Amino acid sequence: MADHYEVLGVARDASSEEIKKAYRRLARQLHPDVNPGEDASERFKLVTHAYDVLSDPDQRARYDMGGDSPFGGAGGQGGFGGFGDIFETFFGAAGGQRAGRPRSRRERGQDALVRVTLDLKDVVFGVHRDLDVDTAVLCETCQGSCCQPGTSPVTCDICHGAGNVQRTVRSLLGNVVTSQPCGSCQGYGTTIPYPCATCQGQGRVRARRTVSIDIPAGVETGLRLQLPGSGEVGPAGGPNGDLYIEVTVSPHEEFSRDGDDLLATLEVSMSDAILGTTTTIESLDGPVDLELRAGVQGGDVLTIKNRGITPLRGTQRGDLRVGVHVVTPTRLDARERALIEDFAKRTKAPAPRLAEFHQGLFAKLRDRFRNS
């Protein structure tokens, strides 16, 4: 429960005129027509209630005797205010600091999260990125002091820098000394008579800044990289939080990832599969010569060493594994058909027969990729 004298920012022996002046000054600042903020509205209610009590001699006398305490009830009506009020009376408001120790305006800033999308090639080699981050940065005008240049915080004249005030109230248990955060300085022990106009007395402003980061090879979708101290600056120039970079890897048209290996499918004509050939394919880090032996079968996997992904914690690259897909022609002219028929007669190939069951070509390729 806030102390009415603290709310109005006056001493306990203040005269009626001083109480009236304090109320008028605060009312002009906090009236909803002038300051529509929710915090200002709540403070305006507290100020109004405090003035209603202290401006009436009878209510003020009862309040000074503890009639408006949690034990006496608002306006001197009897009844206990519940366990929360009792604890507040003995130990101060919830969340308040220990007696004699004011709050610090400087607090650690919040962590920030930035999402970045990478190509598969970036994952193979790692990449440098400059990221634009919209976050809180130190106010250049006041450098985190929260004050207009040339001014500084002043010691609160209500709590005298302690950040909390003590009051003695009479209750059913006798005189009880309570300690609560000072309502005039909000527990900081100091007030800022001239807040910085740039940051509105916060010591920080919102701004866009650029963060440079070297993203290592081997990252994968969902991985978060932590940059300590690169997040938001705290209130009053407090220490920065951390910045987290969340990675998403875009699908590639020709390659896919299997651990540290890269997978690809190579389409081979029937004649090249029969006779064998040498070809050049474009890997993610340049052209690679690939030799197909004569009689290569559909579903065979050719391994090219050290053309895969560098692991996140290691130096030995994975492999590039290429699955062979033999393409059977679907349109033949008369001469081509005759040649094929002649070839069939000469080779006397066995008739079609049932063989070991497979889940189709792609399942066969997948299994061979994993087991090769």
Side-chain angles (χ1 to χ4, degrees), residues 161-222:
N164 55 78
V165 292
Q166 294 183 348
R167 55 180 292 218
T168 302
V169 297
R170 295 182 181 178
S171 69
L172 298 177
L173 303 178
N175 291 337
V176 178
V177 178
T178 66
S179 178
Q180 296 177 329
C182 176
S184 179
C185 65
Q186 306 301 312
Y188 294 115
T190 60
T191 59
I192 300 177
Y194 303 103
C196 174
T198 301
C199 62
Q200 308 301 316
Q202 297 298 310
R204 59 180 183 168
V205 295
R206 302 296 300 186
R208 183 175 292 271
R209 59 189 175 93
T210 301
V211 176
S212 296
I213 178 175
D214 290 318
I215 300 177
V219 297
E220 56 187 338
T221 295

Side-chain angles (χ1 to χ4, degrees), residues 103-122:
R103 293 170 54 191
S104 173
R105 297 183 189 275
R106 286 172 53 85
E107 297 179 8
R108 181 184 183 275
Q110 292 184 338
D111 296 336
L113 174 66
V114 176
R115 293 179 173 87
V116 60
T117 301
L118 304 179
D119 296 328
L120 187 58
K121 188 173 182 178
D122 299 329

Side-chain angles (χ1 to χ4, degrees), residues 104-112 135-138 143-144 202-204 209 227-243:
S104 173
R105 297 183 189 275
R106 286 172 53 85
E107 297 179 8
R108 181 184 183 275
Q110 292 184 338
D111 296 336
T135 183
V137 299
L138 185 69
Q143 294 297 308
Q202 297 298 310
R204 59 180 183 168
R209 59 189 175 93
L227 276 66
S230 295
E232 293 194 348
V233 68
N240 290 65
D242 298 337
L243 176 64

Side-chain angles (χ1 to χ4, degrees), residues 211-274:
V211 176
S212 296
I213 178 175
D214 290 318
I215 300 177
V219 297
E220 56 187 338
T221 295
L223 181 71
R224 286 189 177 184
L225 304 174
Q226 181 181 12
L227 276 66
S230 295
E232 293 194 348
V233 68
N240 290 65
D242 298 337
L243 176 64
Y244 291 88
I245 310 297
E246 186 174 273
V247 173
T248 299
V249 181
S250 299
H252 196 278
E253 291 183 357
E254 296 176 347
F255 299 95
S256 63
R257 179 177 182 177
D258 182 24
D260 295 330
D261 293 340
L262 289 175
L263 310 180
T265 300
L266 181 68
E267 292 185 345
V268 180
S269 68
M270 187 175 67
S271 58
D272 284 339
I274 294 173

Side-chain angles (χ1 to χ4, degrees), residues 93-171:
Q97 68 285 346
R98 293 174 56 189
R101 183 175 298 177
R103 293 170 54 191
S104 173
R105 297 183 189 275
R106 286 172 53 85
E107 297 179 8
R108 181 184 183 275
Q110 292 184 338
D111 296 336
L113 174 66
V114 176
R115 293 179 173 87
V116 60
T117 301
L118 304 179
D119 296 328
L120 187 58
K121 188 173 182 178
D122 299 329
V123 175
V124 174
F125 306 105
V127 66
H128 176 85
R129 285 291 179 88
D130 292 327
L131 306 176
D132 291 332
V133 182
D134 185 10
T135 183
V137 299
L138 185 69
C139 176
E140 294 184 355
T141 302
C142 69
Q143 294 297 308
S145 71
C146 305
C147 304
Q148 282 283 27
T151 68
S152 59
V154 297
T155 302
C156 176
D157 57 1
I158 300 299
C159 67
H160 305 293
N164 55 78
V165 292
Q166 294 183 348
R167 55 180 292 218
T168 302
V169 297
R170 295 182 181 178
S171 69

